[in-house]
């Protein structure tokens, strides 16, 4: 129960950052947050999820064998499942140190009107 609440808090924080438009995260760099890009990710065992086109990526790896790791990838203007641009947060979990990451789910909302190609 507590693990799920923590996970939901992390996802909500990522969505909030996406809509406020703040930078930060390991992959924000100088990317244009309002440029429409394809949403995609790669999982490779115990390596953290890779989301090369994401505006922001956050990773908190499991520190113990019975620990939980969480990762999120955020797109403010993402091309996801066809149609108009969406703001998307993909969530991943790791159920123990050095164990494989798994796709947990997505949070999708209407993208800002500033999105462009």
């Amino acid at each position: 129960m507590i693990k799920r609440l923590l996970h939901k808090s992390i996802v909500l924080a990522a969505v909030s950052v996406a809509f406020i438009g703040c930078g930060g995260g390991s992959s924000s760099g100088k990317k244009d947050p309002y440029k429409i890009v394809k949403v995609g990710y790669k999982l490779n065992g115990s390596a953290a999820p890779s989301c090369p086109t994401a505006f922001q990526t956050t990773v908190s790896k499991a520190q113990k064998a019975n620990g939980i790791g969480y990762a999120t990838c955020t797109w403010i203007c993402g091309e996801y499942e066809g149609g108009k641009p969406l703001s998307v947060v993909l969530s991943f979990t790791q159920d123990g140190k050095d164990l494989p990451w798994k796709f947990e789910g997505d949070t999708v909302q209407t993208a800002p009107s500033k999105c462009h190609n």
Side-chain angles (χ1 to χ4, degrees):
M1 177 73 170
I2 293 175
K3 291 177 185 177
R4 291 284 175 218
L5 288 174
L6 177 61
H7 177 252
K8 289 196 180 287
S9 296
I10 291 170
V11 170
L12 288 173
V15 170
S16 296
V17 168
F19 285 115
I20 293 171
C22 295
S26 60
S27 69
S28 62
K30 295 197 184 268
K31 292 182 180 180
D32 178 354
Y34 300 106
K35 180 169 175 52
I36 300 169
V37 295
K38 287 191 182 246
V39 172
Y41 68 91
K42 290 183 184 179
L43 292 176
N44 187 15
S46 63
S50 170
C51 305
T53 61
F55 172 67
Q56 180 180 32
T57 301
T58 59
V59 176
S60 176
K61 293 182 179 182
Q63 299 299 310
K64 298 179 181 178
N66 63 346
I68 299 292
Y70 295 103
T72 59
C73 297
T74 304
W75 291 262
I76 296 174
C77 298
E79 185 180 310
Y80 187 58
E81 299 179 347
K84 62 184 177 182
L86 298 167
S87 291
V88 179
V89 177
L90 300 182
S91 304
F92 306 88
T93 57
Q94 181 186 38
D95 292 327
K97 185 176 182 179
D98 299 326
L99 291 178
W101 286 87
K102 298 179 222 167
F103 177 73
E104 186 71 23
D106 60 10
T107 303
V108 180
Q109 295 186 345
T110 303
S113 60
K114 296 179 183 180
C115 294
H116 63 87
N117 287 318

